[in-house]
Amino acid sequence: MTIEKRLASAPFQQVTGRTLSGYAVLWGVETAIGGEFIEVFERGAFQATLADRSGKRDIVGIVDHDPSAYLCRTANGTMRLTEDARGLLVEYDLAPTALGDEILALAQRKDLGGLSIGFSVSPGGDSFSGNKRTVREATLYEVSVIRAHAAVEPSAATLSVRALHAGAEADMRRRLYATILGGR
């Protein structure tokens, strides 16, 4: 299983007390992935993940995709995720720790780079039409606060750091093609 990462730079909608909220994914927004293809998430792409109440699905809130930089989690209610008409909305309740205080201060100054997700596409959960990939169903593992980044800004207030992941994306596509084409 390959965990992919995507960044949305829509700024935090709100900072209220120690709670941050913003969109981690915006539905229907086309974004170039490392010059390889265009990607768009359909509304409801994370519905199965969010509906899993078995206790097995715990999505964590971390910083910069670093699991040692823990902020919050869905299992204890300190992170809440909701799909609405615009996208995947996340709310973080920041603990009064050194890391929580740092992220809160950066959010209040509007210094954060945005939110990013770690996900994998469910089997049959995407489709390609030419060079456009549509993600209809994916499993969400984590939502990261991104401190800073270097990227190019596409439309609809989202940001692509996909150039940073272009090598990984290209490698994944090569492996996928090799599997489909019988190891060529």
Side-chain angles (χ1 to χ4, degrees):
M1 167 185 47
T2 301
I3 295 180
E4 301 180 48
K5 297 177 176 115
R6 300 290 183 269
L7 177 81
S9 75
F12 287 102
Q13 295 286 85
Q14 199 169 24
V15 179
T16 306
R18 296 190 67 84
T19 300
L20 307 182
S21 64
Y23 284 91
V25 174
L26 296 174
W27 310 134
V29 175
E30 294 185 356
T31 306
I33 307 296
E36 296 281 321
F37 59 97
I38 303 295
E39 183 176 72
V40 63
F41 282 85
E42 283 187 357
R43 184 176 181 176
F46 301 104
Q47 184 176 4
T49 299
L50 300 182
D52 183 352
R53 303 284 186 233
S54 67
K56 296 177 186 173
R57 178 75 55 218
D58 183 22
I59 303 161
V60 294
I62 57 180
V63 178
D64 296 328
H65 298 289
D66 179 356
S68 69
Y70 167 82
L71 291 173
C72 51
R73 64 185 344 119
T74 57
N76 66 9
T78 56
M79 181 170 74
R80 292 164 300 286
L81 298 162
T82 309
E83 287 187 336
D84 65 17
R86 186 171 180 209
L88 179 65
L89 179 66
V90 61
E91 293 179 294
Y92 291 91
D93 294 336
L94 298 175
T97 62
L99 183 59
D101 292 346
E102 174 190 350
I103 296 303
L104 179 61
L106 291 172
Q108 290 169 333
R109 289 176 25 153
K110 301 187 184 332
D111 283 343
L112 292 174
L115 294 171
S116 181
I117 60 170
F119 71 100
S120 64
V121 176
S122 303
D126 64 350
S127 60
F128 279 88
S129 177
N131 75 332
K132 181 179 176 182
R133 177 190 193 193
T134 301
V135 178
R136 292 180 314 280
E137 185 177 339
T139 301
L140 186 63
Y141 299 101
E142 53 100 351
V143 182
S144 280
V145 172
I146 303 299
R147 288 186 185 117
H149 51 79
V152 178
E153 192 167 346
S155 63
T158 63
L159 188 66
S160 173
V161 293
R162 288 147 185 177
L164 298 175
H165 302 292
E169 295 284 351
D171 183 56
M172 177 187 74
R173 288 182 67 82
R174 279 192 293 277
R175 288 188 313 227
L176 177 64
Y177 290 144
T179 300
I180 290 171
L181 298 173
R184 290 184 207 171

